[in-house]
């Protein structure tokens, strides 16, 4: 993990591999952002002119490298675009700072240390820059490099370049308690998001329900989170028909993992439920060619919940946060659930399985019922649940459904605040009829049109009465297949973790919504 320091050095005197400054897009050319003053002075006040000559405009995500003049200790200056210049008296948007810092950190792969002289005079800005830099300095390299038996004896493949090793944040106040706290929060949050990314990116031959549960157990011991694991025998004894039905086709049995962070002064409890399909073949309703290759990411909801609970513990939030990881591998075999089978869920409801590729809602249903038994103040589930949501909102925005409009609005506002694109979605009552079954209490499929909303209506059936509940369908933003941008890498993104952590912070402050 990249280290973060609040540097007491100035930009001119910092010894580092590079200095990062911000440049915005002005009406008449690039405009330097606050924090770049010392660097501009070393360029005799002509840094903006030099950047314009090199073709820089200040557009978001634009990165321009140039050699540093003799007045700076660092040999390289990196100017990163912040987008349009803010209106007069307005500060730079936190998400613009976060993305700019991430772009710069990615450009510094292979470097040991870089000074970030982006706007960081306020606690909020410092936190955004720190988060963006730490999230941008990420790479999944666990399966690259190492010994090559075809190479000359004793030689190893050099492997990929490692992420930027140290971020030195300039312009903050290192001795101020608020700045120290926001830096510690950024480190805890980024480390857990990056841990979630690692889990999502891990191949399914190494990440399956039992091994995921082992990772959770180790993290719980390290950070004071109590972990309980229900294995196959316990699931059978408890009657968890959804988890068992989805997992029975695999040689890797299902698990239900409970993570519990408690605070002695907490007055509220937040329950988080994550879909953890460690690989989704579709089961007997096998996915067509071209749709299987990225299905290791179908546990992204569980990864997000896991990361959020551990982050809450590390930050020390005054709220109880319980995470439920519904883990299973969905495979076709002679033991697999068939279309037409009926499962008896943990709630007692029976479900006719019309499509075994609609498995996420089955494991979540059991976990939602179990979470409801503890009567938390609110439940939020997170899942890569439906392709329909991707069709509706695209690859970068997750949908929010809820049984309470005010709660849904609060989560949407929180997501926008932390820089995660989201959109509130309805739960139309008329779509419920499509899940009527002549054989069971409900079917796991309904109308094709509005399929993402149908899935939400199914889940709602398994939430305890009187409990505020929201469903986040992160099928679009959970796994990024394109080129990296901002602080978003290729592969697992850690989508929804920041929203869940901020929700926990709001709950701790008595502002659940």
């Amino acid at each position: 993990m990249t280290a973060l320091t609040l540097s007491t050095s100035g930009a001119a005197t910092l010894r580092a591999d590079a200095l990062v400054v911000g440049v915005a897009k002005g009406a008449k050319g690039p405009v330097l952002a606050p924090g770049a003053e010392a660097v501009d002075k070393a360029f005799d006040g002509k840094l903006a002119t030099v950047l314009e000559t090199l073709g820089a405009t200040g557009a978001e995500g634009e990165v321009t490298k140039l050699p540093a003049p003799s007045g700076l200790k660092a040999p390289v200056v990196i100017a990163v675009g912040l987008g349009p210049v803010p209106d007069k008296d307005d500060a730079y948007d936190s998400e613009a700072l976060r993305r700019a810092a991430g772009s710069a950190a990615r450009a510094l792969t292979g470097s040991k240390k870089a000074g970030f002289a982006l706007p960081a005079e306020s606690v909020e800005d410092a936190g955004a820059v720190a988060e963006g830099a730490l999230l941008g300095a990420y790479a999944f390299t666990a399966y690259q490099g190492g010994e090559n038996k075809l190479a000359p004896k004793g030689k190893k493949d050099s492997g990929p370049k490692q992420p930027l090793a140290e971020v030195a944040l300039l312009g903050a106040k290192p001795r101020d308690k608020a700045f120290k706290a926001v830096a510690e929060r950024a480190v805890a949050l980024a480390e857990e998001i990056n841990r979630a990314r690692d889990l999502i990116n891990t191949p399914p031959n190494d990440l399956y329900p039992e091994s995921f549960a082992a990772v959770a157990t180790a993290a719980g011991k390290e950070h004071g989170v109590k972990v309980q694991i229900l294995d196959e025998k316990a699931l059978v004894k408890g009657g968890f028909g959804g988890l068992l039905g989805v997992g029975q086709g695999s040689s890797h049995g299902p698990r239900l993992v409970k993570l519990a962070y408690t605070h002695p002064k907490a007055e509220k409890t937040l329950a988080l439920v994550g879909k953890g399909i460690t690989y989704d073949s579709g089961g007997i309703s096998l996915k067509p060619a071209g749709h299987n290759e990225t299905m290791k990411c179908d546990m992204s909801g569980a990864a997000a919940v896991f990361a959020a609970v551990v982050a809450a513990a590390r930050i020390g939030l005054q709220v109880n946060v319980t995470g439920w990881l519904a883990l299973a591998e969905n495979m076709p075999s002679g033991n697999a659930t068939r279309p037409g089978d009926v499962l008896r869920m943990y709630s007692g409801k029976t479900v006719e399985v019309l499509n075994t590729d609609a498995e996420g809602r089955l494991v979540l249903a059991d976990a939602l019922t179990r979470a409801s038994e503890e009567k938390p103040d609110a439940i939020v589930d997170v899942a890569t649940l439906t392709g329909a949501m991707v069709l509706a909102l695209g690859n970068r925005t997750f949908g929010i459904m809820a049984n309470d409009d005010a709660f849904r609005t609060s989560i949407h506002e929180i997501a926008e605040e932390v820089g995660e694109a989201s959109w509130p979605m309805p739960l139309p009552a008329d779509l419920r009829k499509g899940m009527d079954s002549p054989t069971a209490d409900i079917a796991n499929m309904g109308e094709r049109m509005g399929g993402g909303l149908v899935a939400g209506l199914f889940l709602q059936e398994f939430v305890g009465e009187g409990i505020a509940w929201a469903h986040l369908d992160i099928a679009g933003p959970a796994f990024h297949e394109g080129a990296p941008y901002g602080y978003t890498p290729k592969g697992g993104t850690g989508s929804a973790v920041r929203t869940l952590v901020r929700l926990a912070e709001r709950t701790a402050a008595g502002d659940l919504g």
Side-chain angles (χ1 to χ4, degrees), residues 208-246:
Y208 40 89
E210 186 178 1
S211 61
F212 194 150
V215 172
T217 298
K221 288 180 180 178
E222 182 180 359
H223 297 294
V225 174
K226 186 177 180 181
V227 180
Q228 295 177 315
I229 300 170
L230 297 185
D231 61 12
E232 287 170 280
K233 289 183 179 179
L235 292 174
V236 169
K237 185 177 180 180
F240 290 85
L243 275 157
L244 290 165
V246 173

Side-chain angles (χ1 to χ4, degrees), residues 198-372:
D198 282 348
L199 287 167
I200 297 164
N201 290 327
T202 298
N205 57 320
D206 282 342
L207 188 76
Y208 40 89
E210 186 178 1
S211 61
F212 194 150
V215 172
T217 298
K221 288 180 180 178
E222 182 180 359
H223 297 294
V225 174
K226 186 177 180 181
V227 180
Q228 295 177 315
I229 300 170
L230 297 185
D231 61 12
E232 287 170 280
K233 289 183 179 179
L235 292 174
V236 169
K237 185 177 180 180
F240 290 85
L243 275 157
L244 290 165
V246 173
Q248 71 188 42
S250 172
S251 60
H252 298 296
R255 298 288 188 274
L256 180 62
V257 179
K258 177 187 177 183
L259 304 114
Y261 160 67
T262 57
H263 191 285
K265 296 183 179 179
E267 296 181 354
K268 297 284 186 179
T269 297
L270 181 64
L272 308 176
V273 177
K275 173 187 173 183
I277 303 298
T278 57
Y279 181 75
D280 182 19
S281 69
I284 297 297
S285 305
L286 193 67
K287 292 179 184 292
H291 290 74
N292 285 292
E293 290 77 6
T294 60
M295 280 300 102
K296 64 182 181 180
C297 79
D298 213 19
M299 37 59 68
S300 296
V305 166
F306 168 50
V309 175
V310 176
R314 292 181 61 176
I315 298 168
L317 298 182
Q318 194 170 311
V319 60
N320 297 328
V321 185
T322 303
W324 300 87
L325 314 183
L327 307 177
E329 186 176 64
N330 188 23
M331 296 291 284
S333 76
N335 296 323
T337 293
R338 296 153 290 233
D341 283 356
V342 173
L343 306 177
R344 185 169 295 278
M345 312 297 282
Y346 179 69
S347 69
K349 283 182 182 287
T350 55
V351 176
E352 182 181 12
V353 179
L354 299 181
N355 188 321
T356 63
D357 197 23
E359 85 298 329
R361 64 199 71 182
L362 298 174
V363 300
L364 285 173
D366 275 353
L368 284 167
T369 303
R370 179 64 188 88
S372 296

Side-chain angles (χ1 to χ4, degrees), residues 22-26 29-31 57-62 80-86 92 96-97 100:
V23 56
K25 189 173 184 178
V31 177
T57 65
E60 182 182 313
E62 182 182 74
V80 61
L82 292 164
V85 175
Y92 282 88
L97 294 175

Side-chain angles (χ1 to χ4, degrees), residues 458-480:
F458 180 91
L459 295 177
Q460 186 175 223
E461 298 265 335
F462 298 88
V463 177
E465 187 175 352
I467 301 174
W469 158 79
H471 161 55
L472 311 186
D473 191 335
I474 62 170
F479 196 82
H480 179 57

Side-chain angles (χ1 to χ4, degrees), residues 7-102:
S7 180
T8 55
S9 299
T13 57
L14 180 73
R15 294 186 181 278
D17 296 319
L19 286 173
V20 177
V21 297
V23 56
K25 189 173 184 178
K28 297 181 180 180
V31 177
L32 298 179
E37 295 83 2
V39 178
D40 186 38
K41 183 178 179 181
F43 279 89
D44 296 326
K46 297 178 181 178
L47 178 55
T49 302
V50 172
L51 288 170
E52 186 172 19
T53 302
L54 293 173
T57 65
E60 182 182 313
E62 182 182 74
V63 175
T64 306
K65 293 184 180 182
L66 59 163
S70 59
L72 302 176
K73 297 292 185 184
V76 175
V77 171
I78 291 182
V80 61
L82 292 164
V85 175
D87 293 335
K88 190 176 182 180
D89 299 327
D90 284 350
Y92 282 88
D93 178 71
S94 292
E95 180 63 5
L97 294 175
R98 202 177 282 116
R99 289 182 179 179

